[in-house]
């Protein structure tokens, strides 16, 4: 129990809850472990959704910037008697910069989101193996 307290890992916290209930019915131990595991998984996943939202919203904001930049460029051109390439180029430059920025942010957020999801999935799998091993030890018949 001391080792579980000192390790400060999801596995340690889960096993600690199980060890605290030794002597009670296996179902109670299993329920305590399952509830603790759900809380630990929630902690692992709690901010991943924000990264997923950023990965989806950033390109859309970039494209919105593109549309606004093009509207400004064409509005400025329409207000003049003679349109200049320089006037259009400035608006198009602004529009493309917004697109690039949105795509870069979205791509990086999407990449890190997927890396985190893979790491969380591996952690959950490891937690499941640990719990199964622990419960197998508890349910192992005693031989004399």
């Amino acid at each position: 129990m001391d080792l579980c307290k000192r390790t400060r890992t999801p596995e340690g916290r889960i096993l600690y809850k199980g060890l605290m209930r030794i002597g009670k019915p296996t179902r109670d131990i299993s329920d305590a472990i399952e509830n603790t595991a759900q809380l630990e998984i929630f902690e692992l996943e709690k901010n991943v959704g924000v990264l997923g939202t950023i990965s989806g919203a950033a390109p859309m904001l970039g494209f919105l910037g593109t549309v606004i930049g093009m509207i400004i460029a064409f509005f400025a051109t329409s207000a003049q008697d003679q349109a200049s390439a320089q006037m259009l180029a400035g608006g198009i430059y602004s529009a493309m910069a917004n697109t690039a920025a949105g795509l870069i942010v979205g791509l990086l957020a999407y990449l890190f989101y997927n890396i985190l999801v893979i790491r969380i999935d591996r952690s959950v799998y490891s937690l499941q193996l640990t719990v199964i091993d622990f419960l197998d030890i508890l349910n192992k018949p005693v031989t004399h």
Side-chain angles (χ1 to χ4, degrees):
M1 286 178 72
D2 287 339
L3 177 63
C4 289
K5 277 181 164 180
R6 283 183 280 138
T7 56
R8 297 181 186 267
T9 63
E11 287 91 350
R13 288 186 286 274
I14 290 169
L15 291 177
Y16 182 77
K17 287 292 183 182
L19 289 169
M20 286 179 53
R21 284 165 177 74
I22 295 283
K24 294 188 177 186
T26 305
R27 186 73 214 153
D28 290 350
I29 296 170
S30 180
D31 287 346
I33 288 172
E34 186 177 326
N35 291 336
T36 305
Q38 287 176 350
L39 292 172
E40 292 295 332
I41 291 168
F42 175 77
E43 279 297 312
L44 290 172
E45 295 176 336
K46 72 178 176 184
N47 293 320
V48 174
V50 172
L51 205 50
T53 300
I54 291 170
S55 74
M60 287 190 276
L61 288 172
F63 292 138
L64 177 62
T66 300
V67 170
I68 291 170
M70 295 303 286
I71 289 170
I72 290 169
F74 285 111
F75 180 75
T77 304
S78 70
Q80 301 292 322
D81 287 337
Q82 275 195 336
S84 72
Q86 187 176 14
M87 187 182 302
L88 273 177
I92 293 171
Y93 168 79
S94 173
M96 294 297 106
N98 283 313
T99 299
L103 290 173
I104 289 168
V105 170
L107 180 63
L108 290 173
Y110 184 69
L111 178 70
F112 288 117
Y113 169 82
N114 282 307
I115 289 170
L116 285 175
V117 167
I118 289 167
R119 292 178 87 181
I120 289 169
D121 286 347
R122 286 182 184 159
S123 293
V124 169
Y125 179 75
S126 175
L127 288 173
Q128 289 171 334
L129 288 177
T130 301
V131 167
I132 289 169
D133 289 344
F134 180 74
L135 291 175
D136 284 347
I137 290 169
L138 288 180
N139 292 319
K140 188 175 183 180
V142 179
T143 56
H144 296 284

